[in-house]
Amino acid sequence: MRLRNVITAGVIGVFLAATAGGAFAQNYPRRAVEMVVPFGAGGASDIFARQFAQIATKYLGAPITIVNKGGAGTIEGMTYAYSAPADGYTILEVTPSLPIVEARNTSSVKFRAEFEPIMRVQADVQLFGVPKSSPFKTLDDLIAFAKANPKKLKIGGISPGALDDYIANGFAKAAGFQWNYIPYKGASVLKAAVLGGELDIYQDKVISFMSLVESGDIRPLVVLSDKRLDVPGLKEVPSSVEKGIKFTQGSWRGFVVKKGTPADVKKIIIDAFQKAYDDPAYKAVEKQQMTDILPGYLKADDFRKSLDAEVESFSAVFKELGLVKQ
């Protein structure tokens, strides 16, 4: 008799929880939703989040407000989102920076264990190039020199142990050589260093690369991609895969919610964001920012698989560089 009562109570409890979750979802969203951007205001990720949130608001049925938390290399933003209830009212924007935080073990909050993907929305394509005065006319020239002169060539990026560092050294590892990665505090300082002759190689995403290609100040050598880009000024630039280098990492942007968010609520967010992604207004944003060159969109399950693969790759390179915290 006692066992029957326990089982009955358990069944009723599950039913009540499911009913409560369904009722919660029916009332969601009752107020504004926060979109946490783990970067300061004014950068590319902030601009993207604001543009996407504005479009998604009309499909979600409630305002989406941007909360910038740019400290500690995106850890502050992740921690802020983690501290909020798992109720769908806090959505975290994600870039490769947070998988890198996990790979380097620099936060007590484990990104993949504590958050669930909504979708990956867009991706940037990365290129390498050299100043117009460089003796290297092709990627083959550069790699031959780099193999014969380990760590002599200098390539710059933003911050050590971050995405630019991984892209530079991950590419070099895949191509079988080593060069010297030099971190800079900002994009403008980095460009000045390249154009002033402090650096041998320039790396950046397509939209930032184009002005220097069009001015003739930078000669593009390779696009990190499976195939060449159908972009004026870059159509003749070989892809990394075409050159036998299986490395295609670029940046990307997507969204996650805290683990434990009710499934019905998560579905409401996914449906709204999908409609925003399909909206012509967002397609215009992608075209303007040149993030429509190669597919960046991934549904939740595929986004999770991609995150798993990237963390593994990040860990391997950063361990080799001695940048994984024990």
Side-chain angles (χ1 to χ4, degrees):
M1 189 68 176
R2 181 178 296 176
L3 179 60
R4 180 184 297 175
N5 288 340
V6 171
I7 293 173
T8 302
V11 171
I12 291 173
V14 172
F15 172 77
L16 290 176
T19 303
F24 183 84
Q26 288 176 4
N27 294 325
Y28 176 88
R30 302 184 306 277
R31 55 183 170 81
V33 173
E34 288 188 344
M35 180 177 286
V36 181
V37 176
F39 301 95
S45 294
D46 176 64
I47 292 170
F48 157 74
R50 292 176 185 277
Q51 292 172 325
F52 192 84
Q54 184 177 11
I55 298 167
T57 288
K58 65 181 180 181
Y59 297 112
L60 190 61
I64 300 176
T65 59
I66 301 298
V67 177
N68 292 99
K69 296 287 181 181
T74 69
I75 294 175
E76 182 182 341
M78 177 175 63
T79 303
Y80 177 87
Y82 174 70
S83 68
D87 56 8
Y89 285 96
T90 305
I91 298 170
L92 176 63
E93 182 194 17
V94 186
T95 71
S97 296
L98 284 174
I100 285 174
V101 165
E102 180 178 345
R104 293 188 58 202
N105 195 30
T106 53
S107 172
S108 59
V109 178
K110 303 310 175 188
F111 170 64
R112 288 178 299 161
E114 303 298 348
F115 292 93
E116 300 178 352
I118 293 297
M119 68 171 59
R120 196 178 82 175
V121 180
Q122 64 173 217
D124 285 317
V125 183
Q126 197 86 353
L127 295 91
F128 292 149
V130 294
K132 60 183 178 182
S133 59
S134 172
F136 307 119
K137 306 301 182 184
T138 68
L139 180 65
D140 292 337
D141 293 341
L142 184 147
I143 291 178
F145 180 89
K147 287 182 176 180
N149 301 272
K151 294 190 176 183
K152 186 170 183 179
L153 293 179
K154 292 181 289 186
I155 182 170
I158 309 299
S159 301
L163 181 62
D164 284 353
D165 195 345
Y166 170 75
I167 290 176
N169 287 295
F171 176 85
K173 180 180 179 182
F177 68 87
Q178 292 179 305
W179 47 22
N180 190 9
Y181 175 81
I182 310 294
Y184 286 81
K185 291 184 177 181
S188 60
V189 181
L190 174 63
K191 287 182 180 180
V194 174
L195 299 179
E198 292 179 22
L199 295 172
D200 300 296
I201 299 95
Y202 174 58
Q203 67 162 321
D204 214 332
K205 54 185 177 293
V206 175
I207 193 167
S208 301
F209 221 92
M210 287 309 300
S211 62
L212 295 177
V213 172
E214 291 167 356
S215 67
D217 290 314
I218 291 291
R219 180 165 56 250
L221 295 185
V222 63
V223 53
L224 306 189
S225 172
D226 293 326
K227 59 183 180 180
R228 297 189 182 197
L229 303 184
D230 188 18
V231 175
L234 300 177
K235 292 183 180 181
E236 301 305 315
V237 180
S239 73
S240 51
V241 173
E242 171 189 340
K243 300 301 292 184
I245 304 167
K246 295 182 179 180
F247 187 89
T248 60
Q249 182 73 48
S251 188
W252 48 259
R253 299 175 184 92
F255 300 101
V256 298
V257 291
K258 189 176 178 181
K259 182 167 284 187
T261 299
D264 288 348
V265 171
K266 185 178 175 183
K267 184 178 185 305
I268 291 170
I269 298 171
I270 289 174
D271 289 347
F273 279 28
Q274 182 66 56
K275 290 174 182 175
Y277 175 79
D278 293 332
D279 193 299
Y282 176 69
K283 298 307 178 187
V285 168
E286 281 202 321
K287 186 174 183 62
Q288 180 187 35
Q289 296 178 348
M290 299 185 75
T291 54
D292 62 341
I293 297 172
L294 294 177
Y297 168 84
L298 291 175
K299 291 185 177 180
D301 288 344
D302 292 331
F303 188 14
R304 178 173 293 282
K305 292 174 185 176
S306 176
L307 288 170
D308 291 342
E310 286 199 359
V311 170
E312 184 176 338
S313 296
F314 293 153
S315 295
V317 170
F318 286 126
K319 281 179 181 176
E320 191 171 292
L321 296 172
L323 293 175
V324 174
K325 185 177 179 182
Q326 300 301 319

